[in-house]
Amino acid sequence: MGGVNAWIQTLVLIVVLGLLAGVLRWAFGNDRRAVPDYTGDDFGLLNEVAVVPTEEAARVLAKRLRTAGIKATAVRGAEPGAYRVMVFPVDVPDAKLLLRDV
């Protein structure tokens, strides 16, 4: 009787480990993103709404957007002397409209 119990325990362990592996693969194993971009042009979810030549100008524009309730950040671009104002995709139309007058 002890041999049958050991087989059942082993089978249950294999099934539980298989289910765990399946759940982990479902949760973490389907990453289809491209290879990371190390050039400095990949800002994830953020989209560019303005490019200006100085850091101070980028900070002023980002502050103007934040004052209007739009989450914005100023970052240095890959090319020298270019600073970008970045916002989330949902805020791009409003940000461009607000910065159009500048």
Side-chain angles (χ1 to χ4, degrees):
M1 194 65 155
V4 173
N5 194 16
W7 280 105
I8 292 175
Q9 289 177 349
T10 304
L11 182 62
V12 168
L13 178 65
I14 291 171
V15 168
V16 168
L17 288 177
L19 288 173
L20 180 62
V23 168
L24 290 175
R25 181 171 170 83
W26 172 77
F28 301 108
N30 59 355
D31 188 8
R32 303 274 191 262
R33 290 181 293 180
V35 176
D37 177 22
Y38 296 112
T39 62
D41 285 337
D42 185 15
F43 293 99
L45 294 176
L46 298 176
N47 289 349
E48 174 185 296
V49 291
V51 178
V52 293
T54 65
E55 183 179 5
E56 182 61 29
R59 275 195 260 143
V60 167
L61 293 178
K63 184 177 179 184
R64 182 174 182 179
L65 291 171
R66 285 192 297 270
T67 301
I70 298 172
K71 293 179 183 177
T73 188
V75 297
R76 183 180 309 172
E79 56 278 346
Y83 293 87
R84 298 174 176 188
V85 179
M86 310 291 283
V87 299
F88 286 103
V90 70
D91 295 325
V92 169
D94 294 333
K96 286 187 176 181
L97 183 65
L98 186 65
L99 295 178
R100 185 182 66 182
D101 299 332
V102 177

